[in-house]
Amino acid sequence: MTQQAQVMVVTPHPDDAEFGVAGSVARWVREGKSVIYVVCTSGDKGTSDPNMKPDELARIREQEQLAVAKLLRVRDVIFLRYPDQALEDTPEFRKDIVRQIRKYRPETVVTADPYRRYVWHRDHRITGQVTLDAVFPYARDHLAYPDLLKEGLHPHKVKEILLWGTEQPNYRSDITDTFDIKIAALRCHKSQVGDNLSPDFEEWLRQRAKTMAEVENFELAEAFYRVKIWW
Ligand SMILES: [Zn+2]
């Protein structure tokens, strides 16, 4: 069964997409686009609380991600539930992403830039790389995964990839009118940002969004490396 969505966001952990693309997601939804999230791990190692158990943390973080989805009006959230800090570039993981691409048939896929250098979470690097590979060539080619064809999941050509966390942005998305929703979305991740997002942190995010928009005629931006795919 296919259920077309214009935008698919592939996030390594709950909260990465909110830092990277939540302002743009809010704007796309306002414009009538359908957005879905694929969450690769449930972030079961993302805590400094010595008493927190991984299973409990994963449950909490999935609930936080669902609260974000409700706020942003993301249509569907798919949890792949790979272990946090243990993502690998495996045939299984790649196939899982291909399955979602073929099911939702997005025009745009958004994920983490795998080519950011030095200090970059390994799960982010691997999610970005595996997602790029899944888009091209695996989702496109009918001889890849004949068993998916039998499930009714036919090849699909994604038109555009947006990579957040890039060192070389070539595309800036206007989030001037949706920056406040991005902040509200980040606040949903209480296990990560605490009960209250600090004013300093919010101001830092605003300044960052301003810097990203410096070359544009709008005030606040999220920045990406954009790959247009011409089929
Ligand atoms: Zn992350």
Side-chain angles (χ1 to χ4, degrees), residues 65 90 149 153 208:
Q65 189 69 83
T90 63
L149 271 183
L153 297 173
R208 201 159 145 259

Side-chain angles (χ1 to χ4, degrees), residues 12-16 121 124:
H13 311 103
D15 83 352
D16 297 321
H121 198 302
H124 296 194

Side-chain angles (χ1 to χ4, degrees), residues 11-17 41 61 84 120-121 123-124 164:
T11 184
H13 311 103
D15 83 352
D16 297 321
T41 82
R61 295 194 68 181
D84 191 1
W120 193 218
H121 198 302
D123 288 345
H124 296 194
W164 71 67

Side-chain angles (χ1 to χ4, degrees), residues 23-212:
S24 304
V25 166
R27 184 167 56 77
W28 292 327
V29 170
R30 280 184 184 176
E31 291 168 357
K33 290 184 177 168
S34 172
V35 179
I36 67 134
Y37 272 29
V38 177
V39 184
C40 300
T41 82
S42 294
D44 56 84
K45 291 195 173 58
T47 185
S48 53
D49 176 355
N51 297 316
M52 178 61 78
K53 299 281 181 286
D55 287 356
E56 173 66 0
L57 182 58
R59 192 191 62 73
I60 290 168
R61 295 194 68 181
E62 289 188 7
Q63 290 306 312
E64 291 170 347
Q65 189 69 83
L66 291 171
V68 169
K70 199 171 172 192
L71 179 77
L72 297 178
R73 290 188 288 137
V74 166
R75 196 181 82 198
D76 252 334
V77 182
I78 296 100
F79 294 106
L80 297 182
R81 300 196 170 105
Y82 281 89
D84 191 1
Q85 296 184 11
L87 275 180
E88 295 295 344
D89 183 346
T90 63
E92 182 197 11
F93 182 28
R94 188 161 61 242
K95 186 175 178 181
D96 276 342
I97 303 290
V98 169
R99 179 182 281 108
Q100 301 308 325
I101 292 171
R102 290 190 178 186
K103 182 174 172 187
Y104 289 98
R105 315 188 76 71
E107 292 167 6
T108 301
V109 169
V110 194
T111 190
D113 188 335
Y115 302 119
R116 189 183 177 94
R117 292 171 297 175
Y118 312 123
V119 181
W120 193 218
H121 198 302
R122 178 178 169 79
D123 288 345
H124 296 194
R125 198 180 305 126
I126 288 170
T127 297
Q129 185 63 65
V130 169
T131 302
L132 285 173
D133 291 342
V135 166
F136 172 86
Y138 292 87
R140 182 198 64 170
D141 290 349
H142 76 280
L143 291 178
Y145 308 118
D147 52 327
L148 291 186
L149 271 183
K150 283 184 197 151
E151 290 177 32
L153 297 173
H154 293 274
H156 176 67
K157 294 175 178 177
V158 172
K159 292 195 171 78
E160 172 189 57
I161 301 169
L162 297 176
L163 301 170
W164 71 67
T166 184
E167 293 173 329
Q168 297 176 305
N170 63 356
Y171 175 69
R172 287 135 189 110
S173 169
D174 184 357
I175 62 161
T176 312
D177 294 338
T178 52
F179 179 79
D180 290 345
I181 306 177
K182 179 183 175 91
I183 295 296
L186 281 163
R187 282 203 178 100
C188 293
H189 293 287
K190 287 189 192 333
S191 70
Q192 306 301 299
V193 301
D195 283 337
N196 289 303
L197 205 62
S198 83
D200 285 353
F201 187 54
E202 186 175 334
E203 186 50 30
W204 178 79
L205 287 165
R206 181 179 287 278
Q207 285 307 323
R208 201 159 145 259
K210 263 190 186 160
T211 305
M212 286 175 179

